[in-house]
Amino acid sequence: MCQVDEEYNGQLEHRVTPRVSKKCVKCKENTAVLIIRAGDAFCRGCFKEYFIHKFRAMLGKNRVIFPGEKVLLAVSGGPASSSMLSQVQEGLSRDAPKKLRFHPGIIYIDEGGASGQSMEERERAVAQLESVFRDTNYHYHIVHLEQVLSLPSSVLEAGSSATEKPQTGSSYKAAVDQFIQTKKNQHPDLSVENTQSHLSSLSMQEVQNGVTSPITPEHTQALQRLFASVRTLTAKEDLLHTLRQHLILHTARTQGYTKVMMGDSCSRLAIKLLSNISLGRGASLATDTGFSDPRYGDVVIVRPMRDYSSKEIAYYNRMFDIPSVFIPGLDTKAQDKASIQHLTESFVTKLQTDFPSTVSTIYRTSEKLHTACPPQNTNTQPSAKCLLCLCALDTKLEEFSAYQATLISEQLSQRRGPGTAAAPGLPPASSAGQGQCYSSGGGQRQGCITGEGGCCSSAKEPETVDLKSLLCYSCRLTIKDMTAEDALPQYILSEAERRKRRSQMREEISEFLLDEEEDEAILRVNGSL
Protein backbone atom coordinates (compact mmCIF):
# COMPACT_ATOMS: atom_id res chain seq x y z
CA MET A 1 0.00 0.00 0.00
CA CYS A 2 1.09 3.61 -0.51
CA GLN A 3 2.69 5.30 2.51
CA VAL A 4 2.59 8.99 3.35
CA ASP A 5 6.34 9.32 3.72
CA GLU A 6 7.15 7.15 0.73
CA GLU A 7 9.42 8.74 -1.84
CA TYR A 8 9.49 8.06 -5.56
CA ASN A 9 12.99 8.79 -6.70
CA GLY A 10 12.77 6.98 -10.00
CA GLN A 11 10.93 8.44 -12.95
CA LEU A 12 7.57 6.96 -13.79
CA GLU A 13 7.41 5.03 -17.01
CA HIS A 14 5.32 6.81 -19.63
CA ARG A 15 3.18 4.95 -22.15
CA VAL A 16 4.45 5.25 -25.68
CA THR A 17 1.74 6.77 -27.86
CA PRO A 18 1.75 6.27 -31.63
CA ARG A 19 2.99 9.22 -33.62
CA VAL A 20 2.34 10.25 -37.18
CA SER A 21 6.09 10.23 -37.86
CA LYS A 22 6.07 6.43 -37.79
CA LYS A 23 6.50 4.36 -40.92
CA CYS A 24 3.47 2.93 -42.71
CA VAL A 25 2.51 -0.47 -41.30
CA LYS A 26 1.80 -1.82 -44.79
CA CYS A 27 4.57 -0.67 -47.12
CA LYS A 28 7.17 -0.09 -44.35
CA GLU A 29 8.72 2.66 -46.49
CA ASN A 30 6.66 5.83 -46.60
CA THR A 31 5.95 8.00 -43.60
CA ALA A 32 2.49 7.54 -42.11
CA VAL A 33 0.12 10.48 -42.51
CA LEU A 34 -2.76 9.23 -40.35
CA ILE A 35 -3.49 6.74 -37.58
CA ILE A 36 -6.81 4.91 -37.70
CA ARG A 37 -6.34 2.88 -34.55
CA ALA A 38 -3.48 2.31 -32.15
CA GLY A 39 -0.78 0.65 -34.22
CA ASP A 40 -2.52 1.16 -37.59
CA ALA A 41 -0.58 3.98 -39.21
CA PHE A 42 -0.95 4.36 -43.00
CA CYS A 43 0.59 6.46 -45.69
CA ARG A 44 -1.63 8.15 -48.24
CA GLY A 45 -1.36 5.48 -50.94
CA CYS A 46 -1.76 2.50 -48.63
CA PHE A 47 -4.75 4.04 -46.91
CA LYS A 48 -6.51 4.47 -50.24
CA GLU A 49 -5.82 0.85 -51.19
CA TYR A 50 -7.02 -0.29 -47.77
CA PHE A 51 -10.24 1.73 -48.06
CA ILE A 52 -11.05 0.52 -51.57
CA HIS A 53 -10.24 -3.11 -50.77
CA LYS A 54 -12.55 -3.02 -47.78
CA PHE A 55 -15.49 -1.99 -49.98
CA ARG A 56 -14.74 -4.63 -52.63
CA ALA A 57 -14.25 -7.33 -50.00
CA MET A 58 -17.63 -6.60 -48.44
CA LEU A 59 -19.41 -6.99 -51.78
CA GLY A 60 -17.33 -10.00 -52.83
CA LYS A 61 -17.76 -11.84 -49.56
CA ASN A 62 -21.56 -11.65 -49.53
CA ARG A 63 -22.19 -11.95 -53.30
CA VAL A 64 -25.67 -10.49 -53.12
CA ILE A 65 -25.33 -8.15 -56.13
CA PHE A 66 -25.12 -10.09 -59.38
CA PRO A 67 -23.70 -8.83 -62.70
CA GLY A 68 -26.13 -6.81 -64.79
CA GLU A 69 -28.41 -5.87 -61.90
CA LYS A 70 -29.65 -2.33 -61.43
CA VAL A 71 -28.55 -0.97 -58.06
CA LEU A 72 -29.98 2.20 -56.53
CA LEU A 73 -27.57 4.23 -54.38
CA ALA A 74 -29.35 6.11 -51.58
CA VAL A 75 -27.31 9.30 -51.20
CA SER A 76 -28.24 11.85 -48.53
CA GLY A 77 -25.29 14.15 -49.11
CA GLY A 78 -23.58 13.12 -45.87
CA PRO A 79 -20.01 11.82 -45.55
CA ALA A 80 -20.87 8.09 -45.53
CA SER A 81 -23.21 8.04 -48.54
CA SER A 82 -20.90 10.39 -50.49
CA SER A 83 -17.99 8.06 -49.80
CA MET A 84 -20.09 5.10 -50.94
CA LEU A 85 -20.83 6.89 -54.21
CA SER A 86 -17.10 7.51 -54.65
CA GLN A 87 -16.34 3.81 -54.11
CA VAL A 88 -18.88 2.79 -56.74
CA GLN A 89 -17.31 5.24 -59.18
CA GLU A 90 -13.89 3.79 -58.40
CA GLY A 91 -15.13 0.24 -58.92
CA LEU A 92 -16.76 1.05 -62.26
CA SER A 93 -13.81 3.03 -63.66
CA ARG A 94 -11.73 1.70 -66.51
CA ASP A 95 -8.58 1.48 -64.40
CA ALA A 96 -10.14 -0.75 -61.74
CA PRO A 97 -8.43 -4.18 -61.59
CA LYS A 98 -11.66 -5.98 -60.69
CA LYS A 99 -14.53 -3.97 -62.08
CA LEU A 100 -17.96 -3.89 -60.52
CA ARG A 101 -20.50 -5.18 -63.00
CA PHE A 102 -23.83 -3.66 -61.97
CA HIS A 103 -25.70 -0.64 -63.33
CA PRO A 104 -25.91 2.12 -60.69
CA GLY A 105 -28.51 4.80 -60.15
CA ILE A 106 -28.77 7.50 -57.49
CA ILE A 107 -31.70 8.64 -55.38
CA TYR A 108 -31.91 11.60 -53.04
CA ILE A 109 -34.90 12.18 -50.74
CA ASP A 110 -35.52 15.88 -50.09
CA GLU A 111 -36.73 16.00 -46.48
CA GLY A 112 -36.78 19.78 -46.14
CA GLY A 113 -40.55 19.88 -45.90
CA ALA A 114 -40.48 17.87 -42.67
CA SER A 115 -37.61 19.78 -41.06
CA GLY A 116 -39.10 23.23 -41.74
CA GLN A 117 -36.70 24.44 -44.42
CA SER A 118 -37.75 27.16 -46.82
CA MET A 119 -38.13 26.43 -50.52
CA GLU A 120 -35.03 28.50 -51.31
CA GLU A 121 -32.89 26.45 -48.92
CA ARG A 122 -34.22 23.20 -50.36
CA GLU A 123 -33.57 24.29 -53.93
CA ARG A 124 -30.05 25.36 -53.03
CA ALA A 125 -29.27 21.97 -51.44
CA VAL A 126 -30.76 20.10 -54.42
CA ALA A 127 -28.67 22.19 -56.83
CA GLN A 128 -25.47 21.34 -54.95
CA LEU A 129 -26.27 17.64 -55.01
CA GLU A 130 -27.29 17.70 -58.67
CA SER A 131 -23.88 19.10 -59.59
CA VAL A 132 -22.28 16.14 -57.81
CA PHE A 133 -24.63 13.64 -59.44
CA ARG A 134 -24.05 15.01 -62.94
CA ASP A 135 -20.31 14.45 -62.60
CA THR A 136 -20.93 10.73 -62.10
CA ASN A 137 -22.94 10.34 -65.34
CA TYR A 138 -25.34 8.04 -63.48
CA HIS A 139 -29.10 8.14 -63.70
CA TYR A 140 -30.33 10.02 -60.63
CA HIS A 141 -33.72 10.66 -59.04
CA ILE A 142 -34.56 13.70 -56.91
CA VAL A 143 -37.62 12.72 -54.86
CA HIS A 144 -39.36 15.13 -52.51
CA LEU A 145 -40.78 13.78 -49.28
CA GLU A 146 -44.17 15.31 -50.17
CA GLN A 147 -44.54 12.63 -52.86
CA VAL A 148 -45.16 10.10 -50.11
CA LEU A 149 -48.71 11.49 -49.88
CA SER A 150 -49.52 10.12 -53.34
CA LEU A 151 -47.95 6.67 -53.10
CA PRO A 152 -50.07 3.61 -54.00
CA SER A 153 -51.00 1.12 -51.30
CA SER A 154 -49.05 -1.58 -53.17
CA VAL A 155 -45.88 -0.15 -51.58
CA LEU A 156 -46.84 -1.89 -48.35
CA GLU A 157 -46.99 -5.31 -50.03
CA ALA A 158 -43.97 -7.59 -50.40
CA GLY A 159 -43.08 -8.09 -54.04
CA SER A 160 -42.15 -11.27 -55.82
CA SER A 161 -38.56 -12.36 -55.25
CA ALA A 162 -38.29 -14.06 -58.62
CA THR A 163 -35.17 -12.09 -59.45
CA GLU A 164 -33.32 -13.49 -56.46
CA LYS A 165 -30.53 -15.88 -57.44
CA PRO A 166 -28.94 -18.66 -55.42
CA GLN A 167 -25.91 -17.34 -53.60
CA THR A 168 -23.36 -19.96 -54.55
CA GLY A 169 -19.91 -19.61 -56.02
CA SER A 170 -20.63 -21.53 -59.21
CA SER A 171 -23.81 -19.59 -59.99
CA TYR A 172 -22.09 -16.27 -59.36
CA LYS A 173 -19.20 -17.11 -61.72
CA ALA A 174 -21.67 -18.33 -64.32
CA ALA A 175 -23.58 -15.04 -64.02
CA VAL A 176 -20.35 -13.09 -64.54
CA ASP A 177 -19.46 -15.05 -67.69
CA GLN A 178 -22.99 -14.70 -69.03
CA PHE A 179 -22.94 -10.95 -68.37
CA ILE A 180 -19.68 -10.45 -70.28
CA GLN A 181 -20.84 -12.58 -73.22
CA THR A 182 -24.19 -10.78 -73.41
CA LYS A 183 -22.53 -7.37 -73.55
CA LYS A 184 -20.20 -8.52 -76.30
CA ASN A 185 -23.15 -9.78 -78.35
CA GLN A 186 -25.23 -6.63 -77.82
CA HIS A 187 -22.35 -4.20 -78.52
CA PRO A 188 -19.72 -5.96 -80.66
CA ASP A 189 -17.99 -2.65 -81.35
CA LEU A 190 -17.55 -1.96 -77.63
CA SER A 191 -15.09 -3.63 -75.31
CA VAL A 192 -16.07 -4.79 -71.87
CA GLU A 193 -14.29 -1.76 -70.39
CA ASN A 194 -16.33 0.67 -72.47
CA THR A 195 -19.69 -1.00 -71.88
CA GLN A 196 -20.34 0.71 -68.56
CA SER A 197 -19.50 4.17 -69.86
CA HIS A 198 -21.85 3.55 -72.80
CA LEU A 199 -24.70 2.63 -70.47
CA SER A 200 -23.97 5.62 -68.26
CA SER A 201 -24.23 8.01 -71.18
CA LEU A 202 -27.58 6.51 -72.15
CA SER A 203 -28.81 6.89 -68.58
CA MET A 204 -27.71 10.51 -68.53
CA GLN A 205 -29.80 11.24 -71.61
CA GLU A 206 -32.83 9.82 -69.82
CA VAL A 207 -32.20 12.09 -66.84
CA GLN A 208 -32.15 15.23 -68.94
CA ASN A 209 -35.62 14.43 -70.31
CA GLY A 210 -37.25 14.86 -66.88
CA VAL A 211 -36.69 13.94 -63.25
CA THR A 212 -39.49 14.38 -60.76
CA SER A 213 -42.97 15.77 -60.53
CA PRO A 214 -43.24 19.26 -59.00
CA ILE A 215 -44.59 19.74 -55.50
CA THR A 216 -47.27 22.22 -54.49
CA PRO A 217 -47.64 24.29 -51.30
CA GLU A 218 -50.69 22.18 -50.43
CA HIS A 219 -48.53 19.04 -50.36
CA THR A 220 -45.98 20.74 -48.14
CA GLN A 221 -48.67 21.93 -45.74
CA ALA A 222 -50.16 18.43 -45.55
CA LEU A 223 -46.73 17.00 -44.76
CA GLN A 224 -46.16 19.63 -42.08
CA ARG A 225 -49.55 18.83 -40.53
CA LEU A 226 -48.55 15.17 -40.40
CA PHE A 227 -45.36 15.85 -38.47
CA ALA A 228 -47.05 18.50 -36.32
CA SER A 229 -49.48 15.81 -35.14
CA VAL A 230 -46.57 13.81 -33.68
CA ARG A 231 -45.77 14.91 -30.14
CA THR A 232 -42.21 13.66 -29.56
CA LEU A 233 -39.04 13.99 -31.63
CA THR A 234 -38.40 10.26 -31.15
CA ALA A 235 -41.62 9.38 -32.95
CA LYS A 236 -40.98 12.01 -35.63
CA GLU A 237 -37.59 10.54 -36.50
CA ASP A 238 -39.01 7.03 -36.59
CA LEU A 239 -41.90 8.11 -38.81
CA LEU A 240 -39.54 10.01 -41.11
CA HIS A 241 -37.34 6.92 -41.48
CA THR A 242 -40.39 4.81 -42.38
CA LEU A 243 -41.70 7.25 -45.00
CA ARG A 244 -38.21 7.59 -46.47
CA GLN A 245 -37.96 3.81 -46.87
CA HIS A 246 -41.34 3.71 -48.60
CA LEU A 247 -40.25 6.35 -51.12
CA ILE A 248 -36.99 4.56 -51.85
CA LEU A 249 -38.81 1.24 -52.24
CA HIS A 250 -41.40 2.72 -54.60
CA THR A 251 -38.74 4.39 -56.75
CA ALA A 252 -36.71 1.18 -56.93
CA ARG A 253 -39.74 -0.82 -58.06
CA THR A 254 -40.98 1.66 -60.64
CA GLN A 255 -37.50 2.14 -62.14
CA GLY A 256 -36.56 -1.55 -62.17
CA TYR A 257 -33.89 -1.61 -59.45
CA THR A 258 -33.48 -4.88 -57.55
CA LYS A 259 -30.94 -3.72 -54.95
CA VAL A 260 -30.64 -0.56 -52.87
CA MET A 261 -27.32 0.50 -51.32
CA MET A 262 -27.49 2.39 -48.05
CA GLY A 263 -24.56 4.34 -46.63
CA ASP A 264 -24.85 3.13 -43.02
CA SER A 265 -21.39 3.09 -41.44
CA CYS A 266 -20.16 1.01 -38.53
CA SER A 267 -20.64 3.92 -36.13
CA ARG A 268 -24.15 4.59 -37.40
CA LEU A 269 -25.15 0.93 -37.08
CA ALA A 270 -23.82 0.76 -33.51
CA ILE A 271 -26.01 3.74 -32.61
CA LYS A 272 -28.93 2.23 -34.50
CA LEU A 273 -28.57 -1.08 -32.66
CA LEU A 274 -28.85 0.50 -29.21
CA SER A 275 -31.58 2.95 -30.18
CA ASN A 276 -33.70 0.23 -31.83
CA ILE A 277 -33.50 -1.86 -28.67
CA SER A 278 -34.73 1.15 -26.71
CA LEU A 279 -37.53 1.67 -29.22
CA GLY A 280 -38.73 -1.93 -28.97
CA ARG A 281 -37.37 -3.20 -32.30
CA GLY A 282 -35.37 -6.03 -30.82
CA ALA A 283 -37.15 -8.64 -32.96
CA SER A 284 -35.93 -7.01 -36.20
CA LEU A 285 -32.36 -6.10 -35.21
CA ALA A 286 -30.85 -8.69 -37.56
CA THR A 287 -32.49 -7.14 -40.63
CA ASP A 288 -32.10 -3.54 -39.47
CA THR A 289 -28.33 -3.80 -38.93
CA GLY A 290 -27.23 -6.71 -41.15
CA PHE A 291 -25.58 -6.50 -44.54
CA SER A 292 -28.74 -7.42 -46.45
CA ASP A 293 -32.38 -6.77 -45.64
CA PRO A 294 -34.74 -8.95 -47.74
CA ARG A 295 -38.01 -7.96 -46.03
CA TYR A 296 -39.43 -6.34 -49.20
CA GLY A 297 -39.04 -9.42 -51.39
CA ASP A 298 -38.27 -8.01 -54.83
CA VAL A 299 -35.97 -5.23 -53.54
CA VAL A 300 -33.09 -6.06 -51.20
CA ILE A 301 -31.41 -3.43 -49.02
CA VAL A 302 -27.61 -3.81 -48.74
CA ARG A 303 -25.15 -1.92 -46.52
CA PRO A 304 -21.65 -2.11 -48.02
CA MET A 305 -20.26 0.65 -45.74
CA ARG A 306 -20.97 -1.20 -42.51
CA ASP A 307 -17.29 -2.04 -41.92
CA TYR A 308 -16.16 1.59 -42.00
CA SER A 309 -16.03 3.77 -38.92
CA SER A 310 -16.98 7.44 -39.13
CA LYS A 311 -13.34 8.32 -38.47
CA GLU A 312 -12.11 6.36 -41.50
CA ILE A 313 -14.77 7.93 -43.72
CA ALA A 314 -13.91 11.43 -42.52
CA TYR A 315 -10.19 10.89 -43.19
CA TYR A 316 -10.83 9.47 -46.67
CA ASN A 317 -13.18 12.28 -47.70
CA ARG A 318 -10.73 14.88 -46.40
CA MET A 319 -7.63 13.44 -48.05
CA PHE A 320 -9.16 12.68 -51.45
CA ASP A 321 -11.57 15.64 -51.74
CA ILE A 322 -14.83 13.69 -51.73
CA PRO A 323 -17.63 16.29 -51.92
CA SER A 324 -20.44 16.18 -49.38
CA VAL A 325 -23.34 18.51 -48.62
CA PHE A 326 -24.58 19.28 -45.13
CA ILE A 327 -28.38 19.37 -44.98
CA PRO A 328 -30.06 20.10 -41.62
CA GLY A 329 -32.54 17.53 -40.36
CA LEU A 330 -35.09 17.13 -37.62
CA ASP A 331 -32.48 16.71 -34.88
CA THR A 332 -30.13 19.50 -36.00
CA LYS A 333 -29.15 21.71 -33.01
CA ALA A 334 -31.35 19.59 -30.74
CA GLN A 335 -30.36 18.80 -27.18
CA ASP A 336 -28.96 15.41 -26.28
CA LYS A 337 -32.12 14.36 -24.48
CA ALA A 338 -34.48 15.57 -27.20
CA SER A 339 -35.00 12.06 -28.57
CA ILE A 340 -33.92 8.49 -27.89
CA GLN A 341 -31.95 8.37 -31.15
CA HIS A 342 -30.11 11.61 -30.41
CA LEU A 343 -29.38 10.61 -26.82
CA THR A 344 -28.00 7.24 -27.94
CA GLU A 345 -25.79 8.94 -30.52
CA SER A 346 -24.41 11.32 -27.91
CA PHE A 347 -23.81 8.46 -25.47
CA VAL A 348 -21.96 6.26 -27.97
CA THR A 349 -19.91 9.15 -29.36
CA LYS A 350 -18.74 10.32 -25.94
CA LEU A 351 -18.00 6.77 -24.82
CA GLN A 352 -16.02 6.15 -28.01
CA THR A 353 -13.82 9.14 -27.17
CA ASP A 354 -12.65 7.59 -23.88
CA PHE A 355 -12.89 3.94 -24.95
CA PRO A 356 -11.96 3.56 -28.65
CA SER A 357 -13.26 -0.01 -28.89
CA THR A 358 -16.86 0.90 -28.01
CA VAL A 359 -18.23 1.10 -31.54
CA SER A 360 -16.41 -2.00 -32.77
CA THR A 361 -17.64 -4.03 -29.78
CA ILE A 362 -21.27 -3.05 -30.39
CA TYR A 363 -20.87 -3.64 -34.12
CA ARG A 364 -19.38 -7.12 -33.66
CA THR A 365 -22.31 -7.95 -31.40
CA SER A 366 -24.75 -7.02 -34.17
CA GLU A 367 -22.99 -9.41 -36.55
CA LYS A 368 -23.91 -12.33 -34.31
CA LEU A 369 -27.64 -11.54 -34.33
CA HIS A 370 -30.03 -13.73 -36.27
CA THR A 371 -33.78 -13.46 -36.44
CA ALA A 372 -35.79 -16.16 -34.68
CA CYS A 373 -38.63 -15.80 -37.18
CA PRO A 374 -38.64 -17.80 -40.42
CA PRO A 375 -37.44 -15.99 -43.56
CA GLN A 376 -40.11 -13.70 -44.95
CA ASN A 377 -41.24 -14.26 -48.49
CA THR A 378 -44.19 -13.43 -50.72
CA ASN A 379 -46.12 -16.46 -49.45
CA THR A 380 -46.27 -14.94 -45.97
CA GLN A 381 -49.68 -13.53 -45.15
CA PRO A 382 -49.74 -9.70 -45.16
CA SER A 383 -51.44 -9.83 -41.76
CA ALA A 384 -48.27 -11.41 -40.33
CA LYS A 385 -46.23 -8.30 -41.21
CA CYS A 386 -46.24 -4.84 -39.74
CA LEU A 387 -48.21 -2.31 -41.75
CA LEU A 388 -45.45 0.33 -41.65
CA CYS A 389 -42.03 -1.32 -41.42
CA LEU A 390 -43.06 -4.68 -43.03
CA CYS A 391 -41.22 -6.67 -40.37
CA ALA A 392 -42.70 -9.77 -38.80
CA LEU A 393 -45.29 -8.89 -36.17
CA ASP A 394 -43.92 -9.40 -32.68
CA THR A 395 -47.26 -8.72 -30.99
CA LYS A 396 -49.01 -12.01 -31.81
CA LEU A 397 -47.62 -13.98 -28.90
CA GLU A 398 -48.96 -16.42 -26.39
CA GLU A 399 -51.17 -15.24 -23.55
CA PHE A 400 -48.51 -15.35 -20.87
CA SER A 401 -45.78 -13.13 -22.29
CA ALA A 402 -44.01 -9.91 -21.41
CA TYR A 403 -45.93 -8.08 -24.14
CA GLN A 404 -49.31 -9.16 -22.74
CA ALA A 405 -48.17 -8.11 -19.27
CA THR A 406 -47.29 -4.69 -20.68
CA LEU A 407 -50.76 -4.34 -22.23
CA ILE A 408 -52.48 -5.29 -18.98
CA SER A 409 -50.36 -2.79 -17.05
CA GLU A 410 -51.26 -0.09 -19.56
CA GLN A 411 -54.97 -0.86 -19.25
CA LEU A 412 -54.82 -0.76 -15.47
CA SER A 413 -52.93 2.54 -15.47
CA GLN A 414 -55.59 4.14 -17.68
CA ARG A 415 -58.46 3.37 -15.31
CA ARG A 416 -60.08 6.50 -13.95
CA GLY A 417 -62.82 5.00 -11.87
CA PRO A 418 -64.57 1.73 -11.01
CA GLY A 419 -66.25 0.08 -13.94
CA THR A 420 -64.87 2.41 -16.62
CA ALA A 421 -62.15 0.15 -17.99
CA ALA A 422 -62.80 -2.96 -19.99
CA ALA A 423 -61.43 -6.30 -18.98
CA PRO A 424 -58.31 -7.55 -20.73
CA GLY A 425 -59.10 -9.09 -24.10
CA LEU A 426 -62.40 -7.21 -24.58
CA PRO A 427 -63.00 -4.10 -26.72
CA PRO A 428 -62.89 -0.68 -25.05
CA ALA A 429 -66.04 0.42 -23.31
CA SER A 430 -66.44 3.41 -25.62
CA SER A 431 -67.00 1.16 -28.62
CA ALA A 432 -69.39 -1.23 -26.90
CA GLY A 433 -72.50 0.58 -28.04
CA GLN A 434 -75.79 -0.67 -29.33
CA GLY A 435 -75.54 -2.72 -32.49
CA GLN A 436 -72.10 -4.13 -31.61
CA CYS A 437 -71.94 -7.91 -31.41
CA TYR A 438 -69.05 -9.18 -29.26
CA SER A 439 -70.28 -12.64 -28.44
CA SER A 440 -67.42 -15.11 -28.65
CA GLY A 441 -69.76 -17.99 -29.30
CA GLY A 442 -71.09 -16.53 -32.48
CA GLY A 443 -74.47 -15.59 -30.97
CA GLN A 444 -76.10 -12.22 -31.23
CA ARG A 445 -76.49 -9.58 -28.59
CA GLN A 446 -79.73 -7.77 -28.21
CA GLY A 447 -79.79 -4.88 -30.63
CA CYS A 448 -77.55 -6.54 -33.24
CA ILE A 449 -78.80 -5.74 -36.73
CA THR A 450 -78.56 -8.79 -38.94
CA GLY A 451 -79.68 -7.05 -42.07
CA GLU A 452 -77.61 -5.00 -44.46
CA GLY A 453 -75.29 -2.71 -42.56
CA GLY A 454 -75.43 -4.73 -39.32
CA CYS A 455 -72.37 -5.78 -37.36
CA CYS A 456 -72.83 -9.40 -38.41
CA SER A 457 -73.15 -8.48 -42.07
CA SER A 458 -70.26 -8.35 -44.50
CA ALA A 459 -71.87 -5.33 -46.20
CA LYS A 460 -71.42 -3.13 -43.13
CA GLU A 461 -69.54 0.11 -43.72
CA PRO A 462 -66.10 -0.07 -42.05
CA GLU A 463 -65.60 2.12 -39.03
CA THR A 464 -62.42 3.84 -37.99
CA VAL A 465 -59.61 1.34 -38.53
CA ASP A 466 -57.64 0.38 -35.44
CA LEU A 467 -54.07 0.63 -36.70
CA LYS A 468 -52.48 -0.75 -33.55
CA SER A 469 -53.56 -4.31 -34.25
CA LEU A 470 -51.70 -4.16 -37.61
CA LEU A 471 -48.42 -2.79 -36.24
CA CYS A 472 -45.39 -4.16 -34.46
CA TYR A 473 -44.61 -3.02 -30.93
CA SER A 474 -42.30 -0.17 -31.95
CA CYS A 475 -44.60 1.20 -34.65
CA ARG A 476 -47.44 1.11 -32.13
CA LEU A 477 -45.45 3.44 -29.91
CA THR A 478 -44.94 5.79 -32.86
CA ILE A 479 -48.63 5.90 -33.73
CA LYS A 480 -49.50 6.27 -30.06
CA ASP A 481 -47.58 9.57 -30.02
CA MET A 482 -49.77 10.96 -32.80
CA THR A 483 -52.70 13.20 -31.96
CA ALA A 484 -54.56 12.45 -35.21
CA GLU A 485 -54.12 9.15 -37.05
CA ASP A 486 -56.13 10.43 -40.02
CA ALA A 487 -53.17 12.71 -40.83
CA LEU A 488 -51.26 9.67 -42.11
CA PRO A 489 -50.86 9.31 -45.88
CA GLN A 490 -53.86 7.81 -47.62
CA TYR A 491 -52.01 4.74 -48.89
CA ILE A 492 -51.37 3.64 -45.30
CA LEU A 493 -55.01 4.08 -44.28
CA SER A 494 -56.24 2.30 -47.42
CA GLU A 495 -53.97 -0.68 -46.86
CA ALA A 496 -55.04 -0.86 -43.20
CA GLU A 497 -58.69 -0.90 -44.21
CA ARG A 498 -58.02 -3.59 -46.82
CA ARG A 499 -56.23 -5.80 -44.30
CA LYS A 500 -59.05 -5.36 -41.81
CA ARG A 501 -61.62 -6.41 -44.40
CA ARG A 502 -59.63 -9.47 -45.38
CA SER A 503 -59.23 -10.41 -41.73
CA GLN A 504 -62.97 -10.10 -41.13
CA MET A 505 -63.71 -12.12 -44.25
CA ARG A 506 -61.30 -14.81 -43.10
CA GLU A 507 -63.04 -14.99 -39.74
CA GLU A 508 -66.43 -15.39 -41.41
CA ILE A 509 -65.27 -18.36 -43.48
CA SER A 510 -62.83 -19.75 -40.93
CA GLU A 511 -64.96 -22.85 -40.27
CA PHE A 512 -64.67 -23.82 -43.94
CA LEU A 513 -60.87 -23.41 -44.12
CA LEU A 514 -58.29 -26.06 -43.40
CA ASP A 515 -55.53 -25.49 -40.90
CA GLU A 516 -51.90 -25.60 -42.01
CA GLU A 517 -51.39 -28.96 -40.27
CA GLU A 518 -54.38 -30.41 -42.09
CA ASP A 519 -53.09 -29.10 -45.40
CA GLU A 520 -49.72 -30.76 -44.83
CA ALA A 521 -51.40 -34.03 -43.85
CA ILE A 522 -53.51 -34.01 -47.04
CA LEU A 523 -50.43 -33.33 -49.15
CA ARG A 524 -48.58 -36.22 -47.54
CA VAL A 525 -51.52 -38.55 -48.16
CA ASN A 526 -51.82 -37.47 -51.79
CA GLY A 527 -48.09 -37.91 -52.26
CA SER A 528 -48.17 -41.47 -50.95
CA LEU A 529 -50.97 -42.52 -53.30
Side-chain angles (χ1 to χ4, degrees), residues 98 106 167 202 211 254 327 348 358 444:
K98 294 183 179 179
I106 306 173
Q167 299 180 14
L202 292 178
V211 183
T254 54
I327 301 175
V348 173
T358 299
Q444 285 182 282

Side-chain angles (χ1 to χ4, degrees), residues 42 64-65 80 91 118 126 140 227 229 244 306 334 343 461 498 510:
F42 289 93
V64 175
I65 301 177
S118 63
V126 169
Y140 63 89
F227 281 90
S229 65
R244 184 194 307 124
R306 66 191 308 265
L343 179 61
E461 288 296 328
R498 189 186 71 86
S510 59

Side-chain angles (χ1 to χ4, degrees), residues 31-66:
T31 303
V33 296
L34 76 158
I35 299 175
I36 300 176
R37 291 174 296 271
D40 292 344
F42 289 93
C43 64
R44 180 185 176 91
C46 292
F47 176 66
K48 184 176 182 179
E49 294 179 3
Y50 158 81
F51 201 90
I52 295 175
H53 173 74
K54 213 172 185 180
F55 185 83
R56 303 284 189 85
M58 177 60 70
L59 294 179
K61 178 177 64 175
N62 293 275
R63 290 189 173 181
V64 175
I65 301 177
F66 277 68

Side-chain angles (χ1 to χ4, degrees), residues 124-149:
R124 185 163 54 250
V126 169
Q128 292 178 359
L129 286 170
E130 277 191 318
S131 64
V132 176
F133 296 160
R134 289 194 185 98
D135 294 339
T136 62
N137 287 334
Y138 299 154
H139 191 181
Y140 63 89
H141 312 270
I142 306 296
V143 182
H144 303 284
L145 190 61
E146 287 84 349
Q147 295 179 236
V148 78
L149 302 174

Side-chain angles (χ1 to χ4, degrees), residues 156 226 239 383 385-389 393 395-396 403 463-480 482-500:
L156 302 176
L226 169 61
L239 179 62
S383 59
K385 296 182 179 181
C386 177
L387 178 67
L388 295 181
C389 64
L393 282 180
T395 54
K396 294 186 176 181
Y403 172 70
E463 300 179 354
T464 303
V465 180
D466 182 18
L467 294 179
K468 293 183 179 179
S469 60
L470 305 174
L471 303 176
C472 63
Y473 178 74
S474 180
C475 292
R476 286 189 180 192
L477 298 180
T478 301
I479 298 300
K480 185 179 177 180
M482 295 186 62
T483 57
E485 295 182 2
D486 55 354
L488 288 170
Q490 187 59 39
Y491 74 97
I492 297 178
L493 300 177
S494 301
E495 179 64 17
E497 183 178 345
R498 189 186 71 86
R499 290 191 183 185
K500 277 292 185 180

Side-chain angles (χ1 to χ4, degrees), residues 411 420-433 436-440 445 466:
Q411 292 175 0
T420 58
L426 293 180
S430 60
S431 62
Q436 301 284 340
C437 182
Y438 296 125
S439 175
S440 59
R445 284 184 51 182
D466 182 18

